[in-house]
mmCIF file of all heavy atoms in Angstrom:
data_model
loop_
_atom_site.group_PDB
_atom_site.id
_atom_site.type_symbol
_atom_site.label_atom_id
_atom_site.label_comp_id
_atom_site.label_asym_id
_atom_site.label_seq_id
_atom_site.Cartn_x
_atom_site.Cartn_y
_atom_site.Cartn_z
ATOM 1 N N CYS A 1256 5.091 17.656 5.639
ATOM 2 C CA CYS A 1256 4.495 16.455 5.054
ATOM 3 C C CYS A 1256 4.864 15.235 5.929
ATOM 4 O O CYS A 1256 3.987 14.413 6.278
ATOM 5 C CB CYS A 1256 4.940 16.272 3.631
ATOM 6 S SG CYS A 1256 4.344 14.744 2.864
ATOM 7 N N VAL A 1257 6.126 15.112 6.277
ATOM 8 C CA VAL A 1257 6.550 13.953 7.076
ATOM 9 C C VAL A 1257 5.938 13.987 8.466
ATOM 10 O O VAL A 1257 5.411 12.981 8.965
ATOM 11 C CB VAL A 1257 8.100 13.934 7.168
ATOM 12 C CG1 VAL A 1257 8.550 12.869 8.174
ATOM 13 C CG2 VAL A 1257 8.730 13.653 5.805
ATOM 14 N N ALA A 1258 5.929 15.146 9.076
ATOM 15 C CA ALA A 1258 5.390 15.318 10.435
ATOM 16 C C ALA A 1258 3.878 15.026 10.475
ATOM 17 O O ALA A 1258 3.375 14.475 11.472
ATOM 18 C CB ALA A 1258 5.674 16.690 10.952
ATOM 19 N N SER A 1259 3.170 15.409 9.419
ATOM 20 C CA SER A 1259 1.701 15.285 9.442
ATOM 21 C C SER A 1259 1.233 13.806 9.271
ATOM 22 O O SER A 1259 0.145 13.511 9.719
ATOM 23 C CB SER A 1259 1.077 16.093 8.321
ATOM 24 O OG SER A 1259 1.325 15.466 7.048
ATOM 25 N N GLY A 1260 2.011 12.994 8.641
ATOM 26 C CA GLY A 1260 1.601 11.614 8.377
ATOM 27 C C GLY A 1260 0.459 11.540 7.376
ATOM 28 O O GLY A 1260 -0.227 10.511 7.290
ATOM 29 N N ARG A 1261 0.227 12.584 6.615
ATOM 30 C CA ARG A 1261 -0.945 12.621 5.732
ATOM 31 C C ARG A 1261 -0.955 11.614 4.613
ATOM 32 O O ARG A 1261 -1.943 11.357 4.007
ATOM 33 C CB ARG A 1261 -1.146 14.043 5.204
ATOM 34 C CG ARG A 1261 -0.064 14.541 4.241
ATOM 35 C CD ARG A 1261 -0.400 15.925 3.715
ATOM 36 N NE ARG A 1261 0.666 16.444 2.956
ATOM 37 C CZ ARG A 1261 1.403 17.494 3.290
ATOM 38 N NH1 ARG A 1261 1.132 18.153 4.390
ATOM 39 N NH2 ARG A 1261 2.347 17.907 2.519
ATOM 40 N N ASN A 1262 0.228 11.039 4.338
ATOM 41 C CA ASN A 1262 0.289 10.030 3.260
ATOM 42 C C ASN A 1262 0.142 8.592 3.782
ATOM 43 O O ASN A 1262 0.196 7.638 3.063
ATOM 44 C CB ASN A 1262 1.531 10.168 2.415
ATOM 45 C CG ASN A 1262 1.416 11.385 1.531
ATOM 46 O OD1 ASN A 1262 0.476 11.510 0.779
ATOM 47 N ND2 ASN A 1262 2.367 12.260 1.613
ATOM 48 N N ALA A 1263 0.034 8.486 5.137
ATOM 49 C CA ALA A 1263 -0.076 7.142 5.749
ATOM 50 C C ALA A 1263 -1.294 6.412 5.232
ATOM 51 O O ALA A 1263 -1.258 5.164 4.962
ATOM 52 C CB ALA A 1263 -0.114 7.263 7.261
ATOM 53 N N ALA A 1264 -2.402 7.131 5.013
ATOM 54 C CA ALA A 1264 -3.632 6.478 4.484
ATOM 55 C C ALA A 1264 -3.387 5.925 3.095
ATOM 56 O O ALA A 1264 -3.890 4.835 2.770
ATOM 57 C CB ALA A 1264 -4.776 7.467 4.503
ATOM 58 N N ARG A 1265 -2.613 6.599 2.274
ATOM 59 C CA ARG A 1265 -2.319 6.114 0.927
ATOM 60 C C ARG A 1265 -1.472 4.844 1.027
ATOM 61 O O ARG A 1265 -1.742 3.893 0.274
ATOM 62 C CB ARG A 1265 -1.612 7.186 0.093
ATOM 63 C CG ARG A 1265 -1.391 6.713 -1.312
ATOM 64 C CD ARG A 1265 -0.977 7.782 -2.290
ATOM 65 N NE ARG A 1265 0.167 8.546 -1.869
ATOM 66 C CZ ARG A 1265 0.642 9.534 -2.566
ATOM 67 N NH1 ARG A 1265 0.089 9.866 -3.741
ATOM 68 N NH2 ARG A 1265 1.669 10.184 -2.156
ATOM 69 N N VAL A 1266 -0.492 4.817 1.897
ATOM 70 C CA VAL A 1266 0.314 3.590 2.049
ATOM 71 C C VAL A 1266 -0.590 2.446 2.567
ATOM 72 O O VAL A 1266 -0.497 1.329 2.039
ATOM 73 C CB VAL A 1266 1.513 3.830 3.020
ATOM 74 C CG1 VAL A 1266 2.225 2.519 3.313
ATOM 75 C CG2 VAL A 1266 2.464 4.836 2.403
ATOM 76 N N ASP A 1267 -1.450 2.746 3.537
ATOM 77 C CA ASP A 1267 -2.392 1.689 4.060
ATOM 78 C C ASP A 1267 -3.256 1.181 2.914
ATOM 79 O O ASP A 1267 -3.527 -0.006 2.844
ATOM 80 C CB ASP A 1267 -3.270 2.289 5.177
ATOM 81 C CG ASP A 1267 -2.469 2.548 6.459
ATOM 82 O OD1 ASP A 1267 -1.340 2.040 6.609
ATOM 83 O OD2 ASP A 1267 -3.037 3.294 7.319
ATOM 84 N N ARG A 1268 -3.723 2.058 2.037
ATOM 85 C CA ARG A 1268 -4.522 1.674 0.904
ATOM 86 C C ARG A 1268 -3.763 0.750 -0.050
ATOM 87 O O ARG A 1268 -4.239 -0.248 -0.592
ATOM 88 C CB ARG A 1268 -5.118 2.900 0.201
ATOM 89 C CG ARG A 1268 -6.174 2.558 -0.849
ATOM 90 C CD ARG A 1268 -6.833 3.792 -1.398
ATOM 91 N NE ARG A 1268 -5.927 4.848 -1.823
ATOM 92 C CZ ARG A 1268 -5.787 6.054 -1.251
ATOM 93 N NH1 ARG A 1268 -6.526 6.375 -0.198
ATOM 94 N NH2 ARG A 1268 -4.964 6.934 -1.709
ATOM 95 N N ASP A 1269 -2.489 1.129 -0.288
ATOM 96 C CA ASP A 1269 -1.622 0.318 -1.181
ATOM 97 C C ASP A 1269 -1.454 -1.078 -0.589
ATOM 98 O O ASP A 1269 -1.561 -2.083 -1.302
ATOM 99 C CB ASP A 1269 -0.259 0.962 -1.309
ATOM 100 C CG ASP A 1269 -0.258 2.240 -2.143
ATOM 101 O OD1 ASP A 1269 -1.314 2.603 -2.700
ATOM 102 O OD2 ASP A 1269 0.816 2.922 -2.158
ATOM 103 N N ILE A 1270 -1.228 -1.157 0.722
ATOM 104 C CA ILE A 1270 -1.048 -2.456 1.372
ATOM 105 C C ILE A 1270 -2.360 -3.263 1.279
ATOM 106 O O ILE A 1270 -2.318 -4.475 0.901
ATOM 107 C CB ILE A 1270 -0.672 -2.279 2.855
ATOM 108 C CG1 ILE A 1270 0.695 -1.642 2.964
ATOM 109 C CG2 ILE A 1270 -0.714 -3.592 3.590
ATOM 110 C CD1 ILE A 1270 1.075 -1.161 4.355
ATOM 111 N N GLU A 1271 -3.467 -2.619 1.505
ATOM 112 C CA GLU A 1271 -4.766 -3.373 1.502
ATOM 113 C C GLU A 1271 -5.078 -3.893 0.080
ATOM 114 O O GLU A 1271 -5.491 -5.024 -0.060
ATOM 115 C CB GLU A 1271 -5.886 -2.430 1.985
ATOM 116 C CG GLU A 1271 -7.185 -3.158 2.243
ATOM 117 C CD GLU A 1271 -7.023 -4.297 3.219
ATOM 118 O OE1 GLU A 1271 -6.304 -4.207 4.213
ATOM 119 O OE2 GLU A 1271 -7.675 -5.377 2.995
ATOM 120 N N ARG A 1272 -4.832 -3.069 -0.925
ATOM 121 C CA ARG A 1272 -5.107 -3.492 -2.315
ATOM 122 C C ARG A 1272 -4.161 -4.646 -2.720
ATOM 123 O O ARG A 1272 -4.577 -5.605 -3.349
ATOM 124 C CB ARG A 1272 -4.957 -2.339 -3.290
ATOM 125 C CG ARG A 1272 -5.989 -1.282 -3.115
ATOM 126 C CD ARG A 1272 -6.497 -0.845 -4.484
ATOM 127 N NE ARG A 1272 -7.238 0.409 -4.289
ATOM 128 C CZ ARG A 1272 -8.576 0.455 -4.207
ATOM 129 N NH1 ARG A 1272 -9.285 -0.631 -4.305
ATOM 130 N NH2 ARG A 1272 -9.194 1.614 -4.077
ATOM 131 N N GLY A 1273 -2.887 -4.541 -2.309
ATOM 132 C CA GLY A 1273 -1.953 -5.612 -2.615
ATOM 133 C C GLY A 1273 -2.366 -6.937 -1.952
ATOM 134 O O GLY A 1273 -2.346 -7.990 -2.599
ATOM 135 N N LYS A 1274 -2.755 -6.847 -0.648
ATOM 136 C CA LYS A 1274 -3.179 -8.043 0.046
ATOM 137 C C LYS A 1274 -4.432 -8.640 -0.566
ATOM 138 O O LYS A 1274 -4.579 -9.844 -0.655
ATOM 139 C CB LYS A 1274 -3.427 -7.707 1.551
ATOM 140 C CG LYS A 1274 -2.180 -7.522 2.346
ATOM 141 C CD LYS A 1274 -2.554 -7.234 3.806
ATOM 142 C CE LYS A 1274 -1.347 -7.120 4.669
ATOM 143 N NZ LYS A 1274 -1.737 -6.760 6.039
ATOM 144 N N LYS A 1275 -5.370 -7.758 -0.922
ATOM 145 C CA LYS A 1275 -6.606 -8.227 -1.498
ATOM 146 C C LYS A 1275 -6.391 -9.000 -2.783
ATOM 147 O O LYS A 1275 -7.060 -9.958 -3.081
ATOM 148 C CB LYS A 1275 -7.549 -7.049 -1.785
ATOM 149 C CG LYS A 1275 -8.906 -7.444 -2.194
ATOM 150 C CD LYS A 1275 -9.824 -6.196 -2.356
ATOM 151 C CE LYS A 1275 -11.198 -6.597 -2.801
ATOM 152 N NZ LYS A 1275 -12.074 -5.413 -2.936
ATOM 153 N N ALA A 1276 -5.331 -8.571 -3.512
ATOM 154 C CA ALA A 1276 -5.015 -9.300 -4.753
ATOM 155 C C ALA A 1276 -4.142 -10.523 -4.490
ATOM 156 O O ALA A 1276 -3.846 -11.279 -5.435
ATOM 157 C CB ALA A 1276 -4.293 -8.362 -5.721
ATOM 158 N N GLY A 1277 -3.752 -10.716 -3.222
ATOM 159 C CA GLY A 1277 -3.038 -11.946 -2.890
ATOM 160 C C GLY A 1277 -1.544 -11.789 -2.626
ATOM 161 O O GLY A 1277 -0.877 -12.732 -2.277
ATOM 162 N N ALA A 1278 -0.991 -10.611 -2.796
ATOM 163 C CA ALA A 1278 0.449 -10.397 -2.539
ATOM 164 C C ALA A 1278 0.677 -10.517 -1.052
ATOM 165 O O ALA A 1278 -0.080 -10.047 -0.238
ATOM 166 C CB ALA A 1278 0.868 -9.013 -3.033
ATOM 167 N N GLN A 1279 1.786 -11.189 -0.733
ATOM 168 C CA GLN A 1279 2.157 -11.392 0.652
ATOM 169 C C GLN A 1279 3.567 -10.930 1.002
ATOM 170 O O GLN A 1279 3.993 -11.021 2.126
ATOM 171 C CB GLN A 1279 2.009 -12.868 1.008
ATOM 172 C CG GLN A 1279 0.558 -13.321 0.971
ATOM 173 C CD GLN A 1279 0.439 -14.765 1.445
ATOM 174 O OE1 GLN A 1279 1.404 -15.478 1.661
ATOM 175 N NE2 GLN A 1279 -0.816 -15.204 1.617
ATOM 176 N N GLY A 1280 4.289 -10.497 0.032
ATOM 177 C CA GLY A 1280 5.666 -10.085 0.289
ATOM 178 C C GLY A 1280 6.171 -9.190 -0.846
ATOM 179 O O GLY A 1280 5.417 -8.903 -1.818
ATOM 180 N N THR A 1281 7.378 -8.746 -0.657
ATOM 181 C CA THR A 1281 8.004 -7.872 -1.648
ATOM 182 C C THR A 1281 9.294 -8.464 -2.121
ATOM 183 O O THR A 1281 9.961 -9.235 -1.392
ATOM 184 C CB THR A 1281 8.270 -6.485 -1.067
ATOM 185 O OG1 THR A 1281 9.158 -6.658 0.062
ATOM 186 C CG2 THR A 1281 7.022 -5.768 -0.687
ATOM 187 N N PRO A 1282 9.704 -8.202 -3.350
ATOM 188 C CA PRO A 1282 8.888 -7.454 -4.310
ATOM 189 C C PRO A 1282 7.821 -8.353 -4.955
ATOM 190 O O PRO A 1282 8.026 -9.539 -5.141
ATOM 191 C CB PRO A 1282 9.907 -6.991 -5.361
ATOM 192 C CG PRO A 1282 10.969 -8.060 -5.312
ATOM 193 C CD PRO A 1282 11.003 -8.513 -3.874
ATOM 194 N N SER A 1283 6.712 -7.724 -5.234
ATOM 195 C CA SER A 1283 5.657 -8.412 -6.027
ATOM 196 C C SER A 1283 5.238 -7.472 -7.130
ATOM 197 O O SER A 1283 5.499 -6.265 -7.046
ATOM 198 C CB SER A 1283 4.421 -8.692 -5.175
ATOM 199 O OG SER A 1283 4.685 -9.664 -4.147
ATOM 200 N N TYR A 1284 4.669 -7.990 -8.171
ATOM 201 C CA TYR A 1284 4.253 -7.090 -9.249
ATOM 202 C C TYR A 1284 3.071 -7.702 -9.971
ATOM 203 O O TYR A 1284 2.794 -8.893 -9.858
ATOM 204 C CB TYR A 1284 5.402 -6.796 -10.199
ATOM 205 C CG TYR A 1284 5.932 -8.038 -10.922
ATOM 206 C CD1 TYR A 1284 5.453 -8.478 -12.103
ATOM 207 C CD2 TYR A 1284 7.001 -8.736 -10.327
ATOM 208 C CE1 TYR A 1284 5.897 -9.603 -12.698
ATOM 209 C CE2 TYR A 1284 7.490 -9.862 -10.937
ATOM 210 C CZ TYR A 1284 6.980 -10.314 -12.125
ATOM 211 O OH TYR A 1284 7.446 -11.451 -12.733
ATOM 212 N N PHE A 1285 2.352 -6.831 -10.637
ATOM 213 C CA PHE A 1285 1.237 -7.248 -11.525
ATOM 214 C C PHE A 1285 1.586 -6.719 -12.875
ATOM 215 O O PHE A 1285 1.659 -5.509 -13.110
ATOM 216 C CB PHE A 1285 -0.119 -6.699 -10.979
ATOM 217 C CG PHE A 1285 -0.501 -7.348 -9.689
ATOM 218 C CD1 PHE A 1285 -0.030 -6.823 -8.450
ATOM 219 C CD2 PHE A 1285 -1.287 -8.481 -9.679
ATOM 220 C CE1 PHE A 1285 -0.373 -7.400 -7.256
ATOM 221 C CE2 PHE A 1285 -1.611 -9.094 -8.460
ATOM 222 C CZ PHE A 1285 -1.173 -8.520 -7.267
#
C-alpha cells in the first residue's frame, strides 16, 4: 500500500475539498 501510493489521490481530494471550502491551514474543522 505504501509503495503503490494508491491513496495519494484520496489525500489530494481531501486537500482540494478543504481548500475549496476555504481552509488554509491545520487544524481546521467543520
Side-chain angles (χ1 to χ4, degrees):
C1256 178
V1257 172
S1259 74
R1261 67 178 174 245
N1262 287 306
R1265 182 166 53 180
V1266 173
D1267 290 344
R1268 188 172 51 246
D1269 291 352
I1270 292 168
E1271 192 57 37
R1272 293 223 194 261
K1274 284 181 179 178
K1275 188 175 179 181
Q1279 295 184 350
T1281 58
S1283 293
Y1284 60 91
F1285 292 87

